[in-house]
């Protein structure tokens, strides 16, 4: 039982390596297209988190002040940039198969490439948006330290989560076009269940316990720890999200790979 | 013999007619229905077999033509070979690197430049960046795009897009090439270039599967042909034989009152039947034994020669050449023969014998028994007819002097 699955994974990896050029070209295509006919170009990558930061800063410093340990705009921007990476990647990826039907039905290539490219594009946006984060940190005199060395690890875990969710949703959206509308709703709910603009541990009660299962909470917290507080991520929380992301990714990929050959028939 | 590159072994492919569930609204009733009806015994009313038990192999350096009417499963076959679809039963296998000339511009994005699209399309076809870079100049050159390479594709004409698409595909170095009716792109000279490129591929040992409705193209390019027929088993065999079955299957059968007992095509003056490709200008003899179940007065006989794509190359009858008619009695065996010179260029041709009524000049019996022959490769591979041209450069000066008016004018001019 275990050996056929292992060899299936080996085959899946081999196929990805064979088509890595396509992954690169598709990511490049989407980046170019995104910025080809816009005036602000990459400015859009920082615009959304900045606007949200301004709005939530008014709410959580004036209307209902909360204590976050570092200046609130910095705390919120960091969370929003990370969240944006995840959410825009997933939203974009959800439509990646259905939006490229002409490719899916006419040409053979491992279909994983499409949602993964979508996630990578928002990864580039994230890297761009970190420049503003750096500027904000300078402004508020928050200096990062050695804990930044954890950052690559966090990025890997985040990519795994985003890709796993994207694989499932893009596939579901190919079979049922309702999914992309559901994703919009799901993403805004999910944001408020993650410590993006306020710490969710303040929710408390049974709802709080339920929300506490959200694996993105320790991930967003981990980013803040290593960037803003110069502390390593919380070990249990981070272990939880890492294990979950590995298991989820493996499962999602396997399901995707096995359903792949039916994609061309179902559109 | 070389190894098989494409193996299609007892392949069946089932499709579902109609729309699959596209929104959750349809899914929920469908799931409820399944729940209450206890699936398994449910009728499979909307399913049909697009391919049933199709087998073939293509070896390195060989070209297989795939023909059949619309809906016979030609494109499904190619999609199975490219792995876009998977067979319901049987085995579809392709060994080595696959190049698919199916949707040439599938990966093109209108907002990207020609150059950007070449890299994208190349990657979709499985090429590495270095490989594309190495061939970029040739690709641009072959497509005849020139300076437009850095212009957005949306400014291209559809012909330019198609040419660029073919050009990228043509510079792939595949082991197996799958082609779906794409050679209809571009103008005549570009098509010639495409055919030229395909011949190069074949010579370099690429295994090619070629889907087309153009029988002329099929007989020019293919070594063997498979004729897919919905509901019955496919016919696999030599180009001339299978193409002829396809073409005669397209036409209606002959008059049932007249039966051709035997029809054969031989080399003139021998009893050797025409089986191998014939050289242009060969003399051939068509001989037909007929019987009629009714009396047919004043009959002439003749033939239609049709190229495999349906083009009528020649049509004539005995009375047009001044021969007397003949009364055919019921049950009377008649033998008629036509000798003709095949002044034709490479391609597959069908000879259809016919009996016709002299007064009405109308074939009463297209005998549903055409015979085919193939004209083999020649140095002049384009066109239909062998015109036996003679070439000469004519010195221009002498031509002018010989013109009497010019000479007269010259004389007048000299006098002044």
């Amino acid at each position: 039982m275990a050996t056929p699955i292992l060899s299936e994974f080996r085959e899946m990896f081999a196929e990805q390596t064979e088509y890595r050029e396509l992954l690169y070209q598709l990511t490049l295509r989407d980046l170019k297209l995104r910025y080809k006919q816009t005036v602000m170009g990459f400015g859009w990558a920082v615009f959304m988190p900045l606007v949200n930061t301004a709005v939530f800063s008014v709410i959580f410093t004036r209307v209902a002040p909360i204590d976050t340990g570092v200046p609130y705009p910095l705390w919120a921007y960091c969370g929003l940039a990370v969240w944006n990476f995840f959410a825009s990647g997933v939203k974009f990826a959800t439509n990646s198969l259905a939006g490229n039907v002409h490719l899916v039905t006419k040409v053979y290539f491992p279909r994983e490439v499409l949602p993964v490219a979508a996630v990578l594009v928002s990864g580039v946006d994230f890297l761009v948006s970190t420049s503003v984060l750096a500027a904000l940190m300078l402004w508020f005199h928050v200096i990062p330290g050695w804990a930044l060395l954890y950052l690559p690890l966090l990025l890997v875990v985040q990519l795994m989560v985003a890709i796993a969710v994207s694989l499932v949703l893009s596939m579901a959206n190919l079979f049922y076009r309702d999914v992309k509308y559901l994703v919009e709703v799901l993403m805004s709910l999910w944001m408020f269940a993650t410590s993006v603009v306020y710490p969710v541990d303040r929710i408390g009660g049974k709802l709080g316990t339920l929300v506490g299962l959200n694996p993105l909470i320790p991930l967003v917290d981990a980013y803040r720890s290593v960037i803003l507080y110069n502390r390593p991520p919380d070990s249990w929380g981070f272990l939880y999200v890492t294990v979950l992301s590995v298991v989820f990714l493996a499962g999602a990929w396997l399901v995707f790979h096995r359903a792949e050959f039916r994609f061309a028939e179902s559109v | 013999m070389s190894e098989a590159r494409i193996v299609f072994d007892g392949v069946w492919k089932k499709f579902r007619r109609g729309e699959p569930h596209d929104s959750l609204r349809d899914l929920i009733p469908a799931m409820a229905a399944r729940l209450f009806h206890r699936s398994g015994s449910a009728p499979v009313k909307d399913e049909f077999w697009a391919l049933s038990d199709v087998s073939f192999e293509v070896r390195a350096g060989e070209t297989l033509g795939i023909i059949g009417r619309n809906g016979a499963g030609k494109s499904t076959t190619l999609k199975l070979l490219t792995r876009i679809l998977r067979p319901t039963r049987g085995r579809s296998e392709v060994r080595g690197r696959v190049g698919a000339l199916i949707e040439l511009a599938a990966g093109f994005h209108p907002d990207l430049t020609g150059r950007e699209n070449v890299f994208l399309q190349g990657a979709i076809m499985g090429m590495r960046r270095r490989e594309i870079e190495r061939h970029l100049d040739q690709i641009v050159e072959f497509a005849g795009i020139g300076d437009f390479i850095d212009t957005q594709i949306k400014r291209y004409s559809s012909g330019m897009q198609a040419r660029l698409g073919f050009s990228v595909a043509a510079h792939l170095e595949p082991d197996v090439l799958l082609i779906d009716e794409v050679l209809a792109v571009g103008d005549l000279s570009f098509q010639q270039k495409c055919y030229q490129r395909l011949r190069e591929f074949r010579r370099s040992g690429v295994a090619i599967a070629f889907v087309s409705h153009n029988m002329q193209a099929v007989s020019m390019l293919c070594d063997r042909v498979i004729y897919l027929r919905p509901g019955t088993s496919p016919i696999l065999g030599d180009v001339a034989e299978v193409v002829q079955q396809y073409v005669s299957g397209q036409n209606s059968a002959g008059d049932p009152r007249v039966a051709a007992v035997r029809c054969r095509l031989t080399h003139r003056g021998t009893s050797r039947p025409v089986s191998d490709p014939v050289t242009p200008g060969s003399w051939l003899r068509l001989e037909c034994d007929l019987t009629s179940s009714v009396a047919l007065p004043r009959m002439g006989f003749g033939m239609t020669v049709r190229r495999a794509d349906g083009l009528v190359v020649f049509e004539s009858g005995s009375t047009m050449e001044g021969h007397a008619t003949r009364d055919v009695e019921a049950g009377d065996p008649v033998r008629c023969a036509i000798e003709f010179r095949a002044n034709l260029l490479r391609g597959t041709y069908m000879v259809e014998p016919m009996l016709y009524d002299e007064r009405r000049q109308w074939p009463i019996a297209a005998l549903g028994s055409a015979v085919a022959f193939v004209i083999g490769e020649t140095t002049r591979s384009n066109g239909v007819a062998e015109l036996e041209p003679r070439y000469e450069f004519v010195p221009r000066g002498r031509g002018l002097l010989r013109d009497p008016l010019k000479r007269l004018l010259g004389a007048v001019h000299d006098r002044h």
Side-chain angles (χ1 to χ4, degrees), chain B residues 44-204:
Chain B
V44 280
K45 55 170 189 270
D46 286 337
E47 290 175 342
F48 66 99
W49 292 102
L51 288 178
S52 37
D53 201 13
V54 177
S55 300
F56 59 81
E57 273 187 12
V58 187
R59 295 171 183 282
E62 194 186 22
T63 304
L64 176 79
I66 302 175
I67 61 175
R69 253 155 272 182
N70 289 327
K74 303 184 295 293
S75 299
T76 304
T77 305
L78 282 195
K79 283 187 171 180
L80 287 163
L81 289 175
T82 52
R83 292 186 292 171
I84 295 172
L85 299 177
R86 212 173 271 197
T88 314
R89 262 187 257 160
R91 190 165 62 101
S92 161
E93 217 179 284
V94 175
R95 293 174 194 144
R97 189 176 185 187
V98 184
L101 276 64
I102 294 181
E103 284 289 316
L104 292 174
F108 281 173
H109 198 288
D111 288 330
L112 297 177
T113 67
R115 184 189 305 272
E116 287 166 338
N117 271 308
V118 166
F119 280 92
L120 180 61
Q121 184 73 17
I124 289 172
M125 292 180 169
M127 289 163 95
R128 295 251 173 281
R129 202 167 334 152
R130 225 170 297 137
E131 203 180 335
I132 303 169
E133 274 162 5
R134 199 170 59 230
H135 291 301
L136 188 63
D137 292 340
Q138 289 158 267
I139 290 172
V140 176
E141 158 87 35
F142 188 92
I145 297 292
D147 294 339
F148 282 98
I149 193 64
D150 288 311
T151 305
Q152 289 182 345
I153 283 261
K154 63 183 171 194
R155 311 248 180 267
Y156 284 26
S157 69
S158 57
M160 281 165 83
Q161 288 194 20
R163 260 151 45 206
L164 190 60
F166 184 89
S167 188
V168 175
H171 290 86
L172 191 76
E173 288 155 7
D175 301 310
V176 171
L177 199 58
L178 309 169
I179 307 168
D180 190 4
E181 201 78 84
V182 287
L183 299 171
V185 303
D187 54 20
L188 204 62
S189 75
F190 186 71
Q191 283 184 25
Q192 292 302 342
K193 258 204 293 197
C194 296
Y195 282 120
Q196 188 55 40
R197 186 78 187 115
L198 291 183
R199 279 187 215 110
E200 281 169 34
F201 273 132
R202 192 164 64 158
R203 265 197 297 278
S204 64

Side-chain angles (χ1 to χ4, degrees), chain A residues 18 21-22 24-25 29 32-33 36-37 102 105-108 175-178 261 264-265, chain B residues 13 21-24 27 79 82-86 103 106 109 111 116 124 127-129 154:
Chain A
E18 199 189 323
E21 177 66 25
L22 181 58
Y24 171 78
Q25 289 292 345
R29 176 192 78 170
K32 279 179 184 160
L33 289 176
K36 213 149 196 170
Q37 286 183 336
H102 57 291
T105 53
K106 309 279 185 194
V107 193
Y108 178 80
F175 291 96
Y176 306 105
R177 297 296 153 78
D178 310 65
F261 73 93
E265 284 171 59
Chain B
K13 180 66 190 170
H21 320 289
D22 240 349
S23 81
L24 287 175
L27 172 70
K79 283 187 171 180
T82 52
R83 292 186 292 171
I84 295 172
L85 299 177
R86 212 173 271 197
E103 284 289 316
H109 198 288
D111 288 330
E116 287 166 338
I124 289 172
M127 289 163 95
R128 295 251 173 281
R129 202 167 334 152
K154 63 183 171 194

Side-chain angles (χ1 to χ4, degrees), chain B residues 120-313:
Chain B
L120 180 61
Q121 184 73 17
I124 289 172
M125 292 180 169
M127 289 163 95
R128 295 251 173 281
R129 202 167 334 152
R130 225 170 297 137
E131 203 180 335
I132 303 169
E133 274 162 5
R134 199 170 59 230
H135 291 301
L136 188 63
D137 292 340
Q138 289 158 267
I139 290 172
V140 176
E141 158 87 35
F142 188 92
I145 297 292
D147 294 339
F148 282 98
I149 193 64
D150 288 311
T151 305
Q152 289 182 345
I153 283 261
K154 63 183 171 194
R155 311 248 180 267
Y156 284 26
S157 69
S158 57
M160 281 165 83
Q161 288 194 20
R163 260 151 45 206
L164 190 60
F166 184 89
S167 188
V168 175
H171 290 86
L172 191 76
E173 288 155 7
D175 301 310
V176 171
L177 199 58
L178 309 169
I179 307 168
D180 190 4
E181 201 78 84
V182 287
L183 299 171
V185 303
D187 54 20
L188 204 62
S189 75
F190 186 71
Q191 283 184 25
Q192 292 302 342
K193 258 204 293 197
C194 296
Y195 282 120
Q196 188 55 40
R197 186 78 187 115
L198 291 183
R199 279 187 215 110
E200 281 169 34
F201 273 132
R202 192 164 64 158
R203 265 197 297 278
S204 64
V206 177
I208 304 177
F210 178 63
V211 164
S212 184
H213 283 290
N214 181 344
M215 292 305 124
Q216 178 60 15
V218 168
S219 25
M220 272 173 65
L221 288 170
C222 301
D223 302 306
R224 283 188 310 146
V225 173
I226 186 164
Y227 171 19
L228 298 176
R229 302 178 297 174
T232 23
S233 53
I235 310 174
L236 178 65
D238 290 333
V239 178
E241 187 187 312
V242 180
V243 164
Q244 185 231 319
Q245 293 207 39
Y246 173 73
V247 173
S248 59
Q250 299 279 73
N251 302 336
S252 56
D255 190 316
R257 294 174 303 173
V258 182
V261 179
R262 191 186 63 131
C263 252
R264 56 192 221 120
L265 194 64
T266 53
H267 289 276
R268 187 177 68 164
T270 67
S271 59
R272 195 155 52 89
V274 174
S275 52
D276 294 333
V278 170
T279 50
S282 304
W283 277 96
L284 304 177
R285 179 184 168 91
L286 175 74
E287 216 174 78
C288 273
D289 291 340
L290 316 163
T291 51
S292 173
S293 56
V294 290
L296 300 166
R298 301 188 67 189
M299 287 290 117
F301 69 96
M303 65 171 182
T304 305
V305 180
R306 217 185 280 271
R307 198 169 66 177
D309 60 351
L311 175 78
V312 174
V313 174

